Amino acid sequence: MMFITGPLYSGKRTFAQTLPGKRLSDVQVLAADAADREALEQLADRLASEYEILIATEVGGGVVPMDPKQRADREAAGRLACLLALSLIHISEPTRL
């Protein structure tokens, strides 16, 4: 599995389109539905087994939301990214020149 991550509008999808394999974008959105760490681990395992390329937008930078649900969603997205990184074959963070 390849995990591509980076800020919004950084060329992640464009880069992924040049690669062969089944891919899924915006995996960080799926983390919000996970109830606990075990659910996140199951989600990470499922995604890693079903897709060759996973794309996530970094959501942890910038202003911390005041809403507790939004903070929890960001935390879950970061934890999912860490779990995916544990099972990957290659990680890539495209940069603009």
Side-chain angles (χ1 to χ4, degrees):
M1 182 206 42
M2 178 184 279
F3 182 48
I4 303 171
T5 186
L8 196 61
Y9 305 115
S10 62
K12 299 178 298 295
R13 287 184 192 166
T14 302
F15 174 68
Q17 289 174 349
T18 67
L19 304 170
K22 187 176 176 184
R23 63 186 161 270
L24 179 65
S25 298
D26 298 324
V27 297
Q28 75 281 354
V29 175
L30 301 174
D33 296 330
D36 55 21
R37 181 167 176 96
E38 183 178 333
L40 277 174
E41 289 173 354
Q42 291 173 354
L43 175 61
D45 290 343
R46 182 176 60 82
L47 292 173
S49 66
E50 289 182 19
Y51 296 92
E52 287 84 25
I53 303 167
L54 295 170
I55 306 165
T57 299
E58 294 173 358
V59 295
V63 177
V64 177
M66 291 184 66
D67 180 63
K69 172 74 168 112
Q70 289 179 346
R71 285 196 307 270
D73 290 351
R74 283 187 178 202
E75 180 67 22
R79 290 189 185 280
L80 177 61
C82 290
L83 291 168
L84 290 172
L86 291 173
S87 63
L88 53 81
I89 295 170
H90 180 84
I91 188 166
S92 179
E93 184 174 3
T95 57
R96 289 196 156 161
L97 300 176

